[in-house]
Amino acid sequence: MPNYAIIIDLSLKKGEERTVDLGLFWPLGRIETTGDMTVEYQHLMVWEALDVPGDAEGITARYIKFTAKEPSHVIVYEGPGFVAEPEARWTEAFRRESGWMGGDGIFSFNLHGGIDAFNQHDAKTLFVFGDTLVGESDTSGTRRVRPLLMPNNSVAYLQGNGAEHLDIDFRLNTHPEGHVISFIEPDNPSMYDGTVPEHLIRDDHRGDIRHYVSGFDPKCLTLTFDLTYAQPVRKLSVVNYFDPQESDTEIMNRGIKHCTVSVSDSEAGPWQKVADVTLRKAENLQDYQDIEIDRTCRYIQLDIPPQNGLGNHYSAEDKKTRVFGLNQVCIYNDDRPLRDLKVTSSSVLSRERLTSWFWLQDGVVIDNRIYFLPLLVVPDASKPEGLQFDVRGISLIEAPIVDGEVDFRAHTQKDTPLYRYHEDTLWLFGAAILPNFAAAGAMAPDGYVYVYGYSTKGAHRALRVARVKPEAFHTIDRYEYYAEGEWVKDMLKASPLLEHISCEMSVTPIESGSLKGKVIAVFQYDVDSRYTAYSIGETPWGPFTKPRIVYACPEPDLLGGKAYTYNAKAHPHLSTPNTLLVSYNVNSYDMQQHFDNLDVYRPRFIRLKESGH
């Protein structure tokens, strides 16, 4: 049983007001008072009242203000929760003066069986980082000197969980010519723009209209849809070519007129004909036309005759260059649209390779393979310095673990539907992953992997969660989303669980103490504030308490300039049951500050210790 200590024992005179600085953020418990008085705690610089006498039930505070209306006495006990203290040993291990000199996005994985539980002394730890600084320091060891390189990801290995030593082996990937490159670079359909067929199945457009358009005068024209695995298909719902921004309505004749629809269990065939279909010209962007399928298959093919008047709506006598187009194809299993799709075409008018890179989100080890759900990012020069990027999608990376290390050269990747833009709200998943199955060492396994994401509208960000069986992790259409007490297939119905979270975070089962059996979400309050916070959840899908501030990061004050802190998260297999190892990132909106101060752009560590011990 926890032994909650008295943290304040105070007598006040009538009319006296006193503010107590606890030195740290403490979880508050029972508050016993005699006399008429008010008690307030400071939350993000705002004073909020507490009901006294009563129980604060773990609300955290550093500053507490007491105001006595008559002679009074108050006793405040610590409550259930966590207290933070700096972890200098881990922080110093990531301070380096040459080669790998800093990185953000730090996630950790136990490659030894994928066990994500506490106290893993025999772990083989993999760290993955996002944008990484590579170079040398000056002779004082306080500044970085030019040239300073920035590959978009790097890794490090540690034998064990850090309890005995922190001999971290930082790794950089190099091109055969010797220059530093990322371990994983985008190589999937989401990195292309133009009139590509992927526009037919994407639902992430931010108000812009994107079409599929064939090449000029194709000799043959087919569109092939891969459903990832064989499954029942009820219908296709198609929007023909339509461009509301084009004043010349003649261009709508690009739309498909006749096509043959076939299905197969193999991309090589044989193909079973379903129907010959005639499509009308679209009148708007919601002008859907249904094509009944009622088959179980993995592949669907549209075979379009490449002649004016047959394959499109131009006249057969029209001497215009033959071009064919579509706006959207939705494939339905019952009433649910399938989204984990791949589409190829025998002819494309424009395919433009975008400048892009990955930012690795969280991942999971399953059956000696590691999976990541990285953000695919493109540059956006219209934004302020330090924020000149835009997220375009989320990919799925799969790589084998060979002899205790990840073979990134053998990785595969694909685009996923875990990134969507809907009604001015951005939805994405992969910010945190909780492996709650037996092989991952889960304390109370239920056989699922929980994949956390968030929705963002303006400055408002809300946590959401999906779950999937580990053997189906790579099949996104098998994900289920928690929605008001049920698990559903529609991502956009996922319930908000917790607000003020960060873009990277963690959710971890609590293995001991008064909160045993619950989970703790760790994050940076509102992404890039100076406050690290946590929330306690009854289950992996909540309900969660309101955020509880646990630590005020000192770096914005210590480093000055435009330094900021962001994206806190826990590392369970590097932790002990009563002390949770947590990292957060330190960065600057001013690139010059990265040169001027070696302490910018490397992770910091703290430990969360359970109260009552």
Side-chain angles (χ1 to χ4, degrees):
M1 292 293 292
N3 181 23
Y4 294 128
I6 294 174
I7 54 177
I8 297 175
D9 188 343
L10 192 64
S11 295
L12 292 91
K13 300 176 182 178
K14 179 180 179 179
E16 183 178 359
E17 178 181 292
R18 193 180 303 184
T19 299
V20 176
D21 179 359
L22 296 173
L24 302 171
F25 286 87
W26 280 92
L28 307 181
R30 286 188 297 119
I31 303 176
E32 300 174 353
T33 61
T34 59
D36 188 3
M37 67 183 310
T38 61
V39 180
E40 300 170 277
Y41 74 101
Q42 192 179 74
H43 176 69
L44 300 176
M45 309 305 292
V46 176
W47 290 102
E48 298 188 10
L50 290 167
D51 292 330
V52 293
D55 194 327
E57 298 181 340
I59 288 174
T60 56
R62 175 175 174 175
Y63 297 99
I64 305 178
K65 182 166 63 177
F66 305 92
T67 305
K69 299 179 181 178
E70 61 184 33
S72 304
H73 189 83
V74 61
I75 297 176
V76 180
Y77 293 83
E78 64 177 344
F82 294 85
V83 179
E85 62 180 27
E87 176 47 90
R89 178 170 166 267
W90 274 90
T91 294
E92 189 61 24
F94 287 81
R95 188 184 193 280
R96 290 169 54 86
E97 297 179 8
S98 65
W100 188 99
M101 299 186 73
D104 70 352
I106 177 173
F107 288 94
S108 63
F109 306 92
N110 182 5
L111 301 183
H112 185 207
I115 298 177
D116 203 37
F118 295 169
N119 274 349
Q120 298 304 305
H121 295 284
D122 60 349
K124 178 63 179 288
T125 298
L126 167 73
F127 297 100
V128 296
F129 307 94
D131 289 348
T132 300
L133 295 182
V134 180
E136 299 287 334
S137 69
D138 64 1
T139 55
S140 70
T142 60
R143 298 181 67 257
R144 298 181 178 100
V145 298
R146 289 176 171 82
L148 190 61
L149 310 177
M150 185 182 280
N152 299 122
N153 48 75
S154 64
V155 304
Y157 290 96
L158 170 66
Q159 188 64 48
N161 67 349
E164 297 180 1
H165 66 84
L166 284 175
D167 298 329
I168 300 173
D169 180 12
F170 292 88
R171 303 279 184 89
L172 300 171
N173 196 21
T174 55
H175 188 274
E177 295 179 356
H179 55 271
V180 177
I181 58 176
S182 302
F183 278 93
I184 303 177
E185 297 180 345
D187 185 20
N188 67 67
S190 60
M191 62 183 293
Y192 292 95
D193 209 343
T195 65
V196 294
E198 287 78 16
H199 292 331
L200 297 173
I201 59 174
R202 286 178 180 158
D203 193 19
D204 58 3
H205 308 317
R206 302 191 185 189
D208 53 339
I209 309 302
R210 298 178 182 175
H211 323 274
Y212 161 71
V213 180
S214 75
F216 294 131
D217 297 325
K219 292 182 171 58
C220 66
L221 183 55
T222 59
L223 287 164
T224 304
F225 298 85
D226 181 355
L227 282 53
T228 306
Y229 61 97
Q231 53 188 306
V233 176
R234 184 169 64 87
K235 69 175 183 178
L236 306 185
S237 196
V238 176
V239 177
N240 219 338
Y241 185 89
F242 186 82
D243 189 348
Q245 299 171 338
E246 180 57 61
S247 59
D248 182 6
T249 58
E250 179 74 8
I251 202 171
M252 308 310 172
N253 286 326
R254 292 176 173 179
I256 304 302
K257 184 175 183 181
H258 298 297
C259 67
T260 299
V261 181
S262 304
V263 299
S264 177
D265 291 330
S266 169
E267 192 171 16
W271 292 91
Q272 179 185 0
K273 179 178 174 180
V274 175
D276 291 318
V277 176
T278 300
L279 299 175
R280 67 178 181 274
K281 288 195 288 186
E283 297 182 0
N284 54 61
L285 294 173
Q286 286 75 43
D287 188 6
Y288 288 94
Q289 303 177 61
D290 290 346
I291 302 172
E292 300 300 322
I293 301 295
D294 292 324
R295 302 284 200 284
T296 295
C297 60
R298 174 170 174 173
Y299 297 92
I300 300 175
Q301 190 170 89
L302 305 186
D303 190 358
I304 303 157
Q307 293 91 33
N308 285 345
L310 288 177
N312 60 24
H313 283 268
Y314 286 109
S315 166
E317 289 74 33
D318 201 321
K319 301 304 182 183
K320 287 183 179 290
T321 302
R322 291 175 287 124
V323 178
F324 307 81
L326 275 175
N327 268 43
Q328 191 173 10
V329 176
C330 296
I331 302 175
Y332 284 86
N333 176 337
D334 296 325
D335 293 325
R336 176 174 62 90
L338 301 178
R339 300 195 180 277
D340 191 10
L341 307 172
K342 178 182 177 182
V343 57
T344 57
S345 173
S346 61
S347 177
V348 179
L349 180 64
S350 169
R351 182 182 294 275
E352 304 166 13
R353 185 184 179 102
L354 300 172
T355 298
S356 60
W357 61 92
F358 280 140
W359 281 343
L360 299 177
Q361 297 194 102
D362 206 355
V364 62
V365 175
I366 302 171
D367 292 336
N368 218 35
R369 304 185 74 80
I370 191 166
Y371 298 83
F372 301 101
L373 292 171
L375 303 174
L376 188 137
V377 185
V378 297
D380 185 349
S382 68
K383 295 182 178 178
E385 182 181 4
L387 296 171
Q388 293 179 330
F389 62 87
D390 191 29
V391 177
R392 183 176 173 85
I394 293 177
S395 298
L396 187 146
I397 305 293
E398 178 182 351
I401 300 170
V402 180
D403 296 330
E405 296 189 359
V406 177
D407 185 358
F408 288 103
R409 294 169 301 177
H411 86 272
T412 60
Q413 57 179 268
K414 72 171 188 176
D415 192 15
T416 79
L418 292 174
Y419 171 93
R420 294 180 67 186
Y421 192 78
H422 180 74
E423 295 182 353
D424 297 325
T425 301
L426 176 63
W427 296 67
L428 60 84
F429 281 76
I433 294 178
L434 191 167
N436 203 44
F437 54 96
M443 179 181 64
D446 61 7
Y448 286 98
V449 180
Y450 290 88
V451 181
Y452 294 86
Y454 52 88
S455 60
T456 299
K457 186 173 185 178
H460 181 265
R461 183 172 286 105
L463 184 69
R464 319 271 174 163
V465 67
R467 71 177 186 182
V468 65
K469 293 289 187 179
E471 62 270 19
F473 185 83
H474 62 287
T475 310
I476 311 302
D477 275 333
R478 288 178 169 158
Y479 284 38
E480 300 175 319
Y481 304 86
Y482 182 73
E484 301 296 338
E486 298 180 336
W487 292 94
V488 302
K489 291 292 188 178
D490 187 351
M491 181 173 79
L492 299 182
K493 291 183 179 178
S495 298
L497 305 177
L498 177 63
E499 297 184 353
H500 301 293
I501 59 167
S502 48
C503 299
E504 296 173 5
M505 54 178 294
S506 61
V507 181
T508 304
I510 300 173
E511 296 187 1
S512 64
S514 63
L515 299 173
K516 181 179 179 180
K518 302 179 189 295
V519 299
I520 178 172
V522 176
F523 48 95
Q524 202 75 1
Y525 193 93
D526 282 341
V527 183
D528 58 357
S529 76
R530 66 176 60 223
Y531 298 109
T532 301
Y534 69 86
S535 172
I536 303 299
E538 294 295 321
T539 70
W541 56 92
F544 286 90
T545 64
K546 290 183 178 180
R548 296 172 176 176
I549 305 299
V550 71
Y551 188 69
C553 305
E555 286 75 20
D557 292 329
L558 293 175
L559 300 174
K562 295 184 179 180
Y564 64 97
T565 52
Y566 60 110
N567 285 351
K569 63 184 74 71
H571 303 269
H573 87 272
L574 304 176
S575 305
T576 61
N578 294 324
T579 62
L580 189 62
L581 184 68
V582 170
S583 67
Y584 61 90
N585 297 322
V586 178
N587 206 333
S588 174
Y589 291 116
D590 180 3
M591 189 61 197
Q592 184 59 42
Q593 196 169 6
H594 293 81
F595 287 99
D596 294 341
N597 196 326
L598 195 67
D599 287 329
V600 174
Y601 209 66
R602 61 183 178 88
R604 304 300 200 271
F605 290 84
I606 58 176
R607 283 196 184 271
L608 304 190
K609 294 189 174 183
E610 189 177 4
S611 59
H613 292 275

